[in-house]
Amino acid sequence: MQIYNGKGVSGGIAIGRIRVYKREQHISRISVEDTEEELIRFRAAKREALRQLQLLYEKALKDLGKENAAIFEAHQMILEDMEFYESAEAIIQEQKVIAEYAVFETGKRISETFAQMDDSYMKERAADVKDVSDRLLTILNASNGDTLKGDALNGDTGDVCNSAAAGSFISEEPFILAARDLSPSETIQLDKSKVLSFVTALGLSNSHSAILARMMAIPAVARAELPLDDSIDGKPGIVDREAGVIYVEPDEKTLTEMKLRKQKDKEKQEMLEKLKGKESITPDGQKVMLYANIGSLEDIDAAVRNDAEGIGLFRTEFIYMGREDFPTEEEQFQIYKQAAERMNGRQVIIRTLDIGADKKCEYFGMEPEENPALGCRAIRICLTRPEIFETQLRALYRASNFGKLAIMYPMITSIKEVRRIKEIISKVKAGLDAKGVPYGSPKQGIMIETPAAVLISKELAREVDFFSIGTNDLTQYTLAIDRQNTRLDEFYDAHHPAILRMISMVVENAHAAGIWAGICGELGADPLLTKEFLAMGVDELSMCPESILQIRKIILETDIKN
Ligand code: PEP
Ligand code: MG
């Protein structure tokens, strides 16, 4: 039995076979004016790769002996080989393209040459060349200002590098998926019925793949220190979220112990099921609405199963991701209409498109950015590309005729933005009127997820019907910590007094203006803060469906005044 540690980010125990997900990289051919700059990037990446390989060689020599360390020496030789670097540099200079594309093309060509050789030793070198070019791509991606930064080991991080669809990862049996990282678009394309658990070498508790794991109600462990290779692929495994541990080829004793714990979890869940149908109200009479966060229509089943009193956050960007082109107005209308209908009179808060930062869509044709989290994302895209926004708004307004739908706007920082949204809405409504298309009057809310919005929440409260606090981004922007940067995990303190004070201030300003305020960031499901949120007077908590009954239990047992 081998034991590996990580950080548990989503619930429970999973028992099953491990499958290592190896991402196929595809690099877009992006032209550049300044080839000199690309040559400098390529040479710096080569130096960094040689440095990494030397460290790996020394470590392997010490731990595993000369024979096993030789592989890293071989990789260094490939990098130093004239054919490799001259080819990459020639592609940059002659084709005037980014370094990533030159490395990718070079690696592909040379490894294909090796793969076609008869000699089995030479054939195997194909994988080594691929490893070397992957290493260079990782370093280049990290230097490109993407989200995985220095310790990233794989792609899907910049606009230049896209992964193959995770949906193409086929397995008959349900399995534990082990990967370096999973981008949000890969995560949503997985066949959810087949995935028992996510184990990733990277990732954080507030990264979107972790959030999606929680929405899918499967155990997930991030920052797992396990080898993502054939030594674990296909082996039986256990993922224990609570301990943040992955067992590979578990022994009988561990297996029995884990099965027992899984059974206990099931019994605990059965107890919680008894709270279905009850109001979420404290013994001294304070009521909180418990809503569900969803990312697709399918998630509504989990919301209903867990007795959500409404949908507090429908992340619509997932409708746009994992596809080749924009969803049409009609497609969106059908989704929003069904969401409203399936929630059967209960409130459904649909957030408009929040693409950008780690949530990417190639077909949006966004320019690569130095700081994507501070870049053109969410409402900024909608306001600068109104044709995208108007299509979504038309679909939402039409759907609002079929249930209790509310619309919420992400990443607001100013009154001006809210007013511009209102202007666009007037135009959308006028267009629908002109065609005689019926629509309802959905409530209008904004996400409070920037410190600017918190500080002007008094003024913002006069403009809208409700606030929903996005604590994931609010923490990121308040503490100046990239929520995707695995190296900063220990500094990402969601309980920081600054965050709690901000939440309190937002609720106070909302109430003073006579509107309600909820929380839809991950903090909303934090059982350690439920009492504090109640004391602040938070009106609604929206969370992954599986957390709802557990939080209801706390509310039912919490006397605020004592
Ligand atoms: C948040 O930022 O807290 C939030 C709910 O939005 P997202 O996690 O989708 O950015
Ligand atoms: Mg957010």
Side-chain angles (χ1 to χ4, degrees):
M1 174 169 79
Q2 301 107 62
I3 303 175
Y4 301 101
N5 293 308
K7 185 169 186 244
V9 292
S10 171
I13 289 169
I15 302 176
R17 229 161 253 290
I18 300 170
R19 300 297 311 272
V20 176
Y21 171 55
K22 294 185 190 98
R23 182 182 283 143
E24 283 292 315
Q25 283 186 322
H26 158 75
I27 308 292
S28 302
R29 188 179 188 285
I30 295 179
S31 305
V32 287
E33 287 289 313
D34 188 357
T35 52
E36 209 35 53
E37 169 81 8
E38 292 307 305
L39 284 175
I40 292 170
R41 287 183 64 231
F42 168 68
R43 288 171 193 157
K46 186 180 151 202
R47 278 196 302 277
E48 172 59 16
L50 285 169
R51 190 190 67 84
Q52 289 180 1
L53 287 165
Q54 183 58 27
L55 290 179
L56 286 168
Y57 172 77
E58 284 162 18
K59 186 168 187 319
L61 189 66
K62 197 159 122 260
D63 298 349
L64 307 165
K66 197 166 172 40
E67 209 174 307
N68 289 310
I71 184 74
F72 299 113
E73 229 173 8
H75 284 195
Q76 283 175 310
M77 277 157 67
I78 292 171
L79 258 176
E80 304 258 47
D81 190 275
M82 252 167 49
E83 190 187 350
F84 193 98
Y85 71 78
E86 281 189 352
S87 157
E89 295 204 357
I91 292 176
I92 294 175
Q93 280 168 318
E94 287 160 19
Q95 301 186 29
K96 292 186 181 303
V97 286
I98 52 169
E100 283 88 340
Y101 182 75
V103 167
F104 180 68
E105 281 298 303
T106 300
K108 198 166 89 175
R109 183 181 59 74
I110 300 179
S111 67
E112 276 170 9
T113 311
F114 277 119
Q116 281 157 13
M117 292 182 180
D118 290 334
D119 183 303
S120 64
Y121 174 81
M122 296 308 268
K123 250 188 199 325
E124 281 171 26
R125 301 288 67 77
D128 292 330
V129 175
K130 173 116 188 15
D131 262 17
V132 168
S133 78
D134 282 354
R135 181 176 297 281
L136 279 170
L137 286 172
T138 300
I139 296 166
L140 284 165
N141 273 330
S143 73
N144 202 25
D146 65 48
T147 50
L148 295 182
K149 301 287 185 294
D151 61 351
L153 296 162
N154 214 329
D156 189 47
T157 51
D159 285 311
V160 291
C161 179
N162 297 304
S163 59
S168 61
F169 186 79
I170 292 166
S171 170
E172 291 301 313
E173 296 283 310
F175 57 93
I176 293 167
L177 181 80
R180 294 209 185 283
D181 195 20
L182 286 167
S183 70
S185 57
E186 284 172 316
T187 318
I188 55 163
Q189 286 177 77
L190 289 166
D191 177 354
K192 297 180 188 178
S193 64
K194 293 278 168 60
V195 184
L196 297 170
S197 166
F198 293 150
V199 176
T200 55
L202 301 175
L204 280 175
S205 45
N206 279 329
S207 64
H208 283 98
S209 36
I211 291 173
L212 283 161
R214 287 197 281 277
M215 292 211 295
M216 287 161 66
I218 59 172
V221 171
R223 310 213 69 186
E225 292 166 351
L226 81 175
L228 292 163
D229 55 25
D230 291 346
S231 68
I232 63 160
D233 196 24
K235 302 267 166 72
I238 299 176
V239 179
D240 176 2
R241 175 259 161 122
E242 211 171 293
V245 167
I246 302 110
Y247 301 91
V248 179
E249 299 186 300
D251 57 26
E252 269 313 307
K253 184 171 163 279
T254 310
L255 192 62
T256 315
E257 212 176 283
M258 292 294 151
K259 280 186 178 163
L260 211 71
R261 276 211 14 230
K262 211 166 148 57
Q263 179 57 27
K264 284 210 174 111
D265 284 352
K266 198 165 156 241
E267 285 160 17
K268 218 164 110 191
Q269 184 57 31
E270 280 163 8
M271 290 295 288
L272 288 175
E273 306 265 318
K274 296 193 178 129
L275 303 181
K276 283 188 187 175
K278 287 199 195 304
E279 266 196 315
S280 309
I281 190 160
T282 63
D284 49 5
Q286 187 168 326
K287 178 152 173 49
V288 187
M289 299 304 283
L290 291 187
Y291 285 5
N293 290 350
I294 62 167
S296 68
L297 267 183
E298 292 148 49
D299 296 338
I300 291 194
D301 293 340
V304 171
R305 203 175 49 242
N306 287 284
D307 204 25
E309 293 162 75
I311 301 297
L313 168 64
F314 186 162
R315 288 181 163 98
T316 59
E317 54 277 11
F318 294 130
I319 299 171
Y320 290 71
M321 291 163 67
R323 50 184 292 150
E324 302 289 313
D325 206 349
F326 291 97
T328 62
E329 178 186 323
E330 193 55 30
E331 273 175 80
Q332 294 191 63
F333 165 67
Q334 290 300 339
I335 295 171
Y336 307 146
K337 174 175 173 274
Q338 279 188 54
E341 285 174 346
R342 282 167 65 181
M343 286 308 286
N344 205 10
R346 279 173 280 180
Q347 174 129 272
V348 176
I349 302 174
I350 304 195
R351 176 175 76 183
T352 55
L353 183 63
D354 185 11
I355 221 83
D358 63 320
K359 291 180 276 194
K360 294 187 197 311
C361 277
E362 173 106 348
Y363 62 84
F364 271 64
M366 307 282 294
E367 294 282 317
E369 295 176 305
E370 279 285 317
N371 294 301
L374 302 180
C376 196
R377 58 168 293 201
I379 202 67
R380 296 168 187 179
I381 297 183
C382 292
L383 293 178
T384 48
R385 298 176 68 178
E387 69 289 356
I388 301 175
F389 195 32
E390 284 168 22
T391 305
Q392 184 172 35
L393 286 172
R394 267 195 305 276
L396 282 166
Y397 264 81
R398 285 172 57 198
S400 68
N401 212 24
F402 296 86
K404 197 172 170 194
L405 212 134
I407 308 177
M408 170 161 88
Y409 306 95
M411 276 287 287
I412 296 296
T413 58
S414 70
I415 302 278
K416 202 166 104 188
E417 287 161 352
V418 178
R419 302 238 169 107
R420 278 177 67 190
I421 293 169
K422 287 182 183 175
E423 280 165 23
I424 296 174
I425 289 173
S426 300
K427 187 175 159 211
V428 163
K429 281 166 51 174
L432 292 173
D433 287 337
K435 288 189 183 150
V437 179
Y439 57 88
S441 43
K443 295 271 184 230
Q444 303 289 317
I446 53 172
M447 290 199 63
I448 302 288
E449 51 184 348
T450 63
V454 173
L455 292 172
I456 59 163
S457 52
K458 192 170 163 194
E459 290 78 11
L460 284 169
R462 295 191 205 115
E463 300 282 332
V464 294
D465 300 315
F466 65 92
F467 284 160
S468 188
I469 307 172
T471 50
N472 311 335
D473 277 318
L474 187 58
T475 310
Q476 155 163 270
Y477 297 127
T478 305
L479 304 186
I481 288 183
D482 176 354
R483 70 194 252 198
Q484 296 293 121
N485 189 335
T486 43
R487 290 195 194 144
L488 299 176
D489 203 10
E490 63 177 301
F491 298 102
Y492 189 98
D493 175 12
H495 290 206
H496 193 292
I499 306 298
L500 299 175
R501 270 183 228 168
M502 282 185 167
I503 296 173
S504 179
M505 179 176 164
V506 170
V507 176
E508 209 174 290
N509 285 334
H511 290 174
I515 66 168
W516 64 265
I519 298 176
C520 64
E522 294 303 290
L523 222 53
D526 188 334
L528 301 175
L529 291 175
T530 310
K531 184 166 183 183
E532 200 158 341
F533 292 151
L534 287 166
M536 289 178 190
V538 172
D539 303 285
E540 174 246 21
L541 294 169
S542 191
M543 58 198 71
C544 68
E546 305 295 321
S547 295
I548 291 175
L549 295 174
Q550 188 204 354
I551 299 296
R552 180 171 295 162
K553 182 168 184 290
I554 298 174
I555 293 169
L556 289 168
E557 291 165 357
T558 304
D559 224 331
I560 307 296
K561 295 184 186 114
N562 300 308

